[in-house]
Amino acid sequence: QVQLVESGGGLVQAGGSLRLSCAASGRSFSSYAMGWFRQAPGKAREFVAAIRGSGVSTLHADSVKGRFTISRDNAKNTVYLQMNNLKPGDTAVYSCAADGSDYLRGNPHEYDYWGRGTQVTVSS
């Protein structure tokens, strides 16, 4: 069992930055691939980024490539999402998820555990 708790969301102006954190409890954190997803009101959940357990391989959605960076610290059981040059279209609830297969996946149905999410609001 893995429990995930996100933090770091908030209100920021367009062009600003935020860093989201996702703290995991449970054993074998480094054996899980971790993903970030977001969901805006009235829209489907959208893949943002993923990172393998070792941290060596990452995958970012085209919509955030060059602006967002996923990383992890296995010693702290934490995964991060650094978000730069934020746009109003990035406004959403951001959630982290864990995938026990340790593959880089963009399909939310492939993930085993989810956090409750943190709100990110970008004003114009």
Side-chain angles (χ1 to χ4, degrees):
Q1 189 79 8
V2 177
Q3 294 183 326
L4 304 172
V5 179
E6 302 93 339
S7 61
L11 174 64
V12 64
Q13 289 188 331
S17 298
L18 284 174
R19 188 176 81 155
L20 305 183
S21 299
C22 172
S25 63
R27 297 183 294 179
S28 303
F29 175 72
S30 62
S31 67
Y32 287 84
M34 298 296 295
W36 283 100
F37 292 80
R38 66 186 182 186
Q39 188 166 20
K43 294 188 176 181
R45 182 173 283 172
E46 177 188 13
F47 169 75
V48 176
I51 186 168
R52 293 196 65 182
S54 65
V56 172
S57 300
T58 62
L59 178 67
H60 294 80
D62 288 343
S63 59
V64 306
K65 202 170 291 183
R67 300 188 298 123
F68 292 10
T69 303
I70 190 171
S71 62
R72 67 191 294 159
D73 185 339
N74 287 340
K76 296 182 178 180
N77 279 16
T78 302
V79 62
Y80 305 97
L81 185 68
Q82 178 66 44
M83 306 187 294
N84 298 328
N85 191 20
L86 283 159
K87 304 175 181 180
D90 294 319
T91 295
V93 174
Y94 285 71
S95 300
C96 66
D99 177 3
S101 73
D102 198 24
Y103 290 130
L104 293 176
R105 303 183 182 199
N107 185 346
H109 299 292
E110 302 287 356
Y111 286 77
D112 304 304
Y113 303 102
W114 289 84
R116 292 188 175 184
T118 184
Q119 176 70 47
V120 171
T121 303
V122 184
S123 63
S124 56

